[in-house]
Amino acid sequence: FRARHIELPGAPDERDHTGRIDLASVAFGTEAYAPIGAEFGRFLSPHLPEIGLLDGAEVVLRFEHGIRVGGGFGAYPRPFPARNSGDDLGVHAFIDYVSDEQRTLSAAVGVQKTWHRGAPDRDLLLLRSQWRPSRAWSVFGNAKVDYYTGSDTIQGRGTELTELMLQSRWSGSQVGVGLTGSHFAWPELKRFEYQFLSPELVRDGAVDRVSLDGWCRPSKSVSLRARADRFEDDVRDGTSLRATVTWQGMLGARSALVVTGFRNDGSFSSGPGASVLLRDRFGACRVQLGYRWHRYSLDRLVTGPETFVRESAEVRVSWPLGDRTDLDLSGEHWFGDGNDAFAVSFYLQWRF
């Protein structure tokens, strides 16, 4: 449940009260040795999470040598705060394989067929694979391939690779490095999932990205992380650089100081920024204090390029109220050029 109240000088007040259920399901046969498993309610499929949130049911059959076969059906809530459900229905099926408990080799193939308000919509093929040739090295990849039929007016008949992600990581005891490449294109959907998509964007739009990241631990208390990203789409390109230093035990055995610097050169804004976070723990209570600074230039304004500075300060406190209950409190203040806003929130969790 979310309650929001906005007061603006010279304008009417705004109130927004929204309630929703994110997850609520009952599962049977979740043990790895159970020959049959089933789940009912609102949930994310543990076997094919790429299809998104499902209001329905899923059944899995487990065979020898790590093979699982299953499928499900139901409605797909829209990816908006109210989680409206009912316009989009579908079925899915999958088969996956896991070589051993260490997941030295795993692979999955899934299919999904959906209908929007009774009309045929998405025909999707999903592929996923992971390989761990050693304890330090892992290779992962997944893909989505859309099949378009005569009912699709923009793409016409044929197939399209709408999502692809390939990643390779090596993590040693003191040093690690990773390389990731991805491709994303907007599929043609009757389902209302993206707003204001032009036919040209659906037909020709795509975003390709490559990322290189690494970390090292020069001492027991200090670790360094760095990341570089570059993206390119059909009209523009950009880069992002980030470096982080973490110092464990600066004020005490449970404390940590995290300092980050970055620079973004994106589609609409660019500029440097930095943040400082201090974390500590007092008994079961966890406390975090933070400050962020960002100077960014906007190049696509009607009035011409302009530069702004945005700053924020935050405090977060978390502690358990028992064996099954946790409470989080947070406050944040944004200030700078044209910014003066506050946010206070709490999060209460009870596990049963």
Side-chain angles (χ1 to χ4, degrees):
F1 177 79
R2 183 185 68 181
R4 188 178 185 185
H5 184 200
I6 301 176
E7 296 182 2
L8 297 174
D13 296 348
E14 295 183 13
R15 290 180 173 85
D16 179 21
H17 300 90
T18 303
R20 75 184 190 203
I21 298 176
D22 285 329
L23 297 171
S25 65
V26 178
F28 304 93
T30 58
E31 301 84 2
Y33 57 80
I36 300 177
E39 189 166 4
F40 308 88
R42 171 169 290 185
F43 60 95
L44 284 169
S45 168
H47 312 288
L48 208 63
E50 294 89 346
I51 65 174
L53 202 61
L54 176 67
D55 286 346
E58 183 180 73
V59 177
V60 58
L61 304 177
R62 299 183 180 90
F63 299 92
E64 295 181 347
H65 309 299
I67 298 176
R68 297 179 296 189
V69 179
F73 64 92
Y76 301 100
R78 291 168 62 184
F80 302 109
R83 298 285 194 264
N84 296 331
S85 179
D87 286 347
D88 301 281
L89 306 176
V91 297
H92 67 274
F94 62 87
I95 177 171
D96 69 5
Y97 165 76
V98 178
S99 61
D100 49 40
E101 294 183 357
Q102 291 73 34
R103 302 183 68 88
T104 304
L105 178 64
S106 64
V109 178
V111 293
Q112 181 190 35
K113 171 67 178 179
T114 68
W115 292 264
H116 179 72
R117 297 181 178 177
D121 193 8
R122 195 171 196 182
D123 297 277
L124 183 64
L125 171 68
L126 301 112
L127 305 171
R128 183 176 68 248
S129 182
Q130 186 176 25
W131 177 43
R132 294 180 178 272
S134 68
R135 294 183 61 181
W137 184 26
S138 65
V139 181
F140 176 82
N142 63 12
K144 290 183 179 180
V145 180
D146 277 85
Y147 174 69
Y148 298 113
T149 64
S151 63
D152 297 293
T153 59
I154 299 177
Q155 295 287 4
R157 289 182 176 272
T159 60
E160 181 186 24
L161 178 65
T162 47
E163 290 188 39
L164 174 68
M165 196 273 280
L166 300 173
Q167 182 182 78
S168 179
R169 301 198 65 84
W170 185 85
S171 297
S173 59
Q174 302 296 326
V175 179
V177 65
L179 179 63
T180 303
S182 65
H183 168 82
F184 176 84
W186 286 266
E188 181 178 352
L189 298 176
K190 296 181 177 68
R191 168 183 169 90
F192 188 75
E193 195 164 279
Y194 306 100
Q195 297 187 23
F196 310 115
L197 293 186
S198 65
E200 293 78 15
L201 182 62
V202 174
R203 185 184 303 113
D204 304 319
V207 180
D208 296 297
R209 185 182 299 272
V210 61
S211 304
L212 177 65
D213 66 276
W215 65 271
C216 66
R217 195 184 302 276
S219 68
K220 290 184 178 180
S221 60
V222 177
S223 62
L224 308 175
R225 291 183 177 273
R227 175 169 176 158
D229 293 82
R230 178 169 179 82
F231 82 90
E232 182 176 334
D233 59 23
D234 51 314
V235 295
R236 60 182 72 91
D237 56 54
T239 58
S240 174
L241 302 173
R242 178 178 295 267
T244 300
V245 180
T246 302
W247 182 7
Q248 300 283 350
M250 189 195 71
L251 298 179
R254 297 181 173 183
S255 68
L257 178 66
V258 183
V259 180
T260 300
F262 64 87
R263 179 174 179 84
N264 296 326
D265 181 13
S267 301
F268 303 99
S269 66
S270 60
S275 67
V276 179
L277 294 176
L278 177 62
R279 300 193 298 259
D280 208 341
R281 188 164 182 169
F282 305 94
C285 180
R286 298 184 299 274
V287 178
Q288 176 176 293
L289 304 176
Y291 167 78
R292 292 179 175 86
W293 173 87
H294 186 200
R295 189 184 71 214
Y296 57 97
S297 299
L298 301 179
D299 301 327
R300 298 178 180 271
L301 297 177
V302 176
T303 57
E306 293 190 40
T307 300
F308 302 90
V309 172
R310 187 181 191 186
E311 300 174 79
S312 67
E314 66 171 332
V315 56
R316 301 180 186 274
V317 181
S318 305
W319 68 88
L321 301 180
D323 294 336
R324 297 183 295 178
T325 307
D326 296 289
L327 176 63
D328 295 338
L329 299 175
S330 66
E332 192 163 359
H333 178 209
W334 295 275
F335 53 98
D337 296 334
N339 289 283
D340 187 10
F342 295 86
V344 178
S345 64
F346 76 92
Y347 177 73
L348 181 65
Q349 177 178 263
W350 178 56
R351 300 176 297 275
F352 59 92

